[in-house]
Amino acid sequence: MEDLTERRIVVLTGASSGIGLAAAVELARRGDQVVLVGRDPARLRAAGERVRESCGEQPELFRADFAVLDDVRGLAERLREHYDRIDVLANNAGAIALEPITTVDGFELSMQANHLAPFLLSNLLADRVRRMVVTASDAHRSGVLDPDDLNASLRHYRPFRAYGTSKQANILFTAEAARRWPELPAYAFHPGVVRTRFGNESRLVALGMRLLPFRSPEKGAETLVWLARQDPSRLVDGGYYADRKPHRPRPKAADPALAARLWTASAKAVGIDA
């Protein structure tokens, strides 16, 4: 049973393409007011036009680069100015770095874009948000998270291990957010392996995208849309989902002590109180 009592405001990060755009189109089609966040202005405008074509209404567009934490802080300020409430915050933006890259803030790119930036945004908006959905991944199986060293992956860099570590952080963050913010339901999900622009810089990844049976963005977005609209009483707060069902993450992504340590380390990293 879906929660359809009122028209909701849904903010989606990473909404210029892939899962984020597919979810935005579907949510708008179902009557939600969608707000698109993306890094590239031209792609963001094109995504907004795609949503407008699907529902007849132009969505609000907000540009922010999650590789720059000041962009995230500015985004939070602008969203607070525009909206007294955000019914759903979909932390969907993500990146995979095929070589070791350190952001202007001093963090490994995938850790910052996939975890620290949404962690910061969620904390800055927590009093306005009614529900949070986080795009995680079963790639967390390759994660080797050490909260005492969030840049550990920069040494002996392996792209998919770094990415998996950031996805491990997503699941831990979601569970800890549910514990710390009991009034704000939070859910993480695995979208499946989706055919998107992800990893386009790599010829090997691009070849795999063409040859392997990847899901469409629309299929990958189904669980996001479902979690955004389902009655919370039917869901597990802090839970991890796949294909609209509870999904058990690996123990290293379900450790409450590790989740608490990660929260403290992340708060220190982005300069907020734990």
Side-chain angles (χ1 to χ4, degrees):
M1 179 179 180
E2 293 182 340
D3 178 7
L4 304 174
T5 56
E6 60 181 353
R7 188 166 191 247
R8 288 107 38 79
I9 297 168
V10 182
V11 174
L12 299 109
T13 70
S16 296
S17 63
I19 298 168
L21 176 54
V25 168
E26 181 62 19
L27 289 166
R29 188 186 67 78
R30 296 190 186 200
D32 287 330
Q33 178 182 346
V34 297
V35 180
L36 278 54
V37 178
R39 177 175 58 87
D40 181 88
R43 287 174 47 223
L44 187 59
R45 287 193 297 271
E49 181 62 19
R50 171 92 175 274
V51 171
R52 188 194 65 78
E53 291 173 354
S54 74
C55 71
E57 181 177 334
Q58 179 67 35
E60 291 286 342
L61 308 177
F62 291 83
R63 197 210 72 83
D65 185 349
F66 277 21
V68 181
L69 290 181
D70 275 347
D71 266 25
V72 178
R73 297 181 183 103
L75 171 64
E77 289 179 6
R78 286 179 286 141
L79 289 171
R80 293 182 69 86
E81 289 171 0
H82 278 75
Y83 307 108
D84 291 332
R85 76 172 199 279
I86 295 171
D87 295 285
V88 182
L89 172 61
N91 283 314
N92 171 72
I96 183 169
L98 300 175
E99 59 185 23
I101 297 174
T102 303
T103 70
V104 296
D105 301 289
F107 300 105
E108 189 273 319
L109 176 60
S110 57
M111 176 57 71
Q112 176 166 324
N114 298 350
H115 168 62
L116 290 174
F119 173 86
L120 175 60
L121 182 65
S122 301
N123 273 272
L124 295 176
L125 296 176
D127 63 323
R128 300 284 174 93
V129 175
R130 294 182 174 182
R131 181 186 312 210
M132 182 169 68
V133 180
V134 179
T135 303
S137 171
D138 273 358
H140 76 271
R141 297 177 181 185
S142 65
V144 287
L145 180 68
D146 177 5
D148 295 327
D149 185 2
L150 295 176
N151 279 333
S153 62
L154 286 171
R155 297 187 297 276
H156 309 294
Y157 191 76
R158 298 180 182 178
F160 291 99
R161 177 173 290 182
Y163 176 72
T165 298
S166 71
K167 296 288 104 178
Q168 179 188 359
N170 287 158
I171 299 170
L172 291 166
F173 161 60
T174 303
E176 184 67 5
R179 187 184 72 80
R180 290 177 179 247
W181 302 330
E183 73 288 351
L184 198 173
Y187 318 104
F189 78 101
H190 169 58
V193 184
V194 178
R195 188 187 303 277
T196 70
R197 296 180 68 258
F198 217 51
N200 276 359
E201 298 83 355
S202 166
R203 292 181 180 178
L204 179 61
V205 174
L207 178 62
M209 287 288 186
R210 289 195 297 270
L211 298 180
L212 297 176
F214 284 68
R215 289 181 168 185
S216 68
E218 290 73 21
K219 183 67 175 177
E222 284 182 356
T223 300
L224 191 164
V225 171
W226 180 75
L227 289 169
R229 297 179 64 82
Q230 188 67 218
D231 186 331
S233 68
R234 296 173 177 266
L235 300 173
V236 178
D237 195 9
Y240 180 51
Y241 285 80
D243 293 324
R244 296 184 291 183
K245 296 178 182 178
H247 191 59
R248 187 185 300 276
R250 290 297 177 91
K252 60 186 172 183
D255 180 345
L258 185 60
R261 288 176 56 211
L262 174 64
W263 189 286
T264 300
S266 300
K268 181 178 179 181
V270 301
I272 62 174
D273 293 332

